[in-house]
């Protein structure tokens, strides 16, 4: 019997259509400032370092403030299929586990961008049961913002 039986992961998915090619949306994510641009202004997150672009082995280090307590979050890219998807996995951070997959699908000249998070919260099944709704709401707010920024940037590029 695995621990996951008692302490299941939850999955969050957010998807939107962007009126730009897959290449345009992919290249936006490759920008050196992309991570910083995608952090909502209300989130107390600072990018400490970023290396490797979107490729396997790429690494981003963040400092997240939880009230007065700073917590380091390190994400490492474990998969990359250019113009289709990339995955980053928490190496160090706030939750027990975190896998974030970014999917790019061409659809009649536009891109369907989908972010999928598989997450296991700290504190076991009771914490998961009590906090999952709150985490989902925060993720929804964050990815609504991220997709809006991506859409605005990529659609402006497509208009040029």
């Amino acid at each position: 019997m695995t621990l996951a039986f008692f302490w299941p992961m939850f999955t969050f998915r957010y998807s939107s259509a962007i009126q730009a090619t897959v290449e345009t949306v992919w290249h936006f994510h490759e920008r050196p400032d992309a991570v910083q641009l995608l952090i909502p202004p209300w989130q107390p997150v600072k990018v400490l370092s970023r290396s490797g672009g979107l490729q396997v082995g790429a690494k981003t280090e963040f400092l997240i403030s939880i009230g007065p307590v700073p917590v380091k979050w390190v994400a490492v890219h474990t998969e990359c299929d250019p113009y289709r998807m990339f995955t980053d996995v928490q190496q160090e951070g706030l939750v027990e586990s975190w896998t974030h997959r970014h999917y790019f699908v061409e659809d009649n000249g536009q891109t369907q961008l989908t972010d999928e998070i598989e997450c296991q919260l700290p504190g076991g099944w009771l914490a998961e049961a009590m906090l999952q709704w709150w985490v989902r709401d925060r993720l929804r707010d964050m990815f609504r913002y991220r997709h809006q920024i991506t859409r605005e940037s990529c659609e402006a590029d497509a208009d040029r």
Side-chain angles (χ1 to χ4, degrees), residues 97-158:
S97 67
W98 174 277
T99 301
H100 180 189
R101 291 182 179 88
H102 313 246
Y103 296 101
F104 304 75
V105 176
E106 189 278 327
D107 183 20
N108 292 320
Q110 67 179 9
T111 300
Q112 190 68 33
L113 176 63
T114 302
D115 285 278
E116 181 182 276
I117 307 289
E118 290 178 346
C119 178
Q120 193 172 37
L121 299 175
W125 65 270
L126 184 59
E128 187 98 16
M130 293 172 51
L131 294 174
Q132 190 178 120
W133 67 271
W134 184 82
V135 172
R136 284 185 191 281
D137 283 352
R138 300 301 67 78
L139 289 172
R140 187 188 64 246
D141 293 344
M142 179 176 70
F143 282 100
R144 182 180 297 137
Y145 176 84
R146 290 177 68 141
H147 282 226
Q148 175 187 336
I149 295 300
T150 303
R151 182 179 304 105
E152 288 170 2
S153 180
C154 293
E155 290 178 1
D157 286 349

Side-chain angles (χ1 to χ4, degrees), residues 27-148:
H27 291 303
F28 170 79
H29 284 82
E30 288 182 316
R31 290 174 49 168
D33 62 345
V35 173
Q36 190 63 51
L37 289 171
L38 293 173
I39 296 172
W42 63 85
Q43 288 187 332
V45 177
K46 179 181 178 185
V47 178
L48 298 176
S49 68
R50 181 175 185 223
S51 63
L54 303 180
Q55 301 306 311
V56 172
K59 187 178 197 177
T60 305
E61 296 182 9
F62 303 92
L63 192 62
I64 302 171
S65 296
I66 309 296
V69 179
V71 178
K72 189 175 182 181
W73 180 301
V74 179
V76 176
H77 288 205
T78 58
E79 298 176 289
C80 182
D81 184 358
Y83 306 108
R84 297 177 139 213
M85 64 88 68
F86 67 96
T87 302
D88 55 88
V89 174
Q90 173 191 279
Q91 189 176 57
E92 177 183 341
L94 299 168
V95 294
E96 290 299 317
S97 67
W98 174 277
T99 301
H100 180 189
R101 291 182 179 88
H102 313 246
Y103 296 101
F104 304 75
V105 176
E106 189 278 327
D107 183 20
N108 292 320
Q110 67 179 9
T111 300
Q112 190 68 33
L113 176 63
T114 302
D115 285 278
E116 181 182 276
I117 307 289
E118 290 178 346
C119 178
Q120 193 172 37
L121 299 175
W125 65 270
L126 184 59
E128 187 98 16
M130 293 172 51
L131 294 174
Q132 190 178 120
W133 67 271
W134 184 82
V135 172
R136 284 185 191 281
D137 283 352
R138 300 301 67 78
L139 289 172
R140 187 188 64 246
D141 293 344
M142 179 176 70
F143 282 100
R144 182 180 297 137
Y145 176 84
R146 290 177 68 141
H147 282 226
Q148 175 187 336

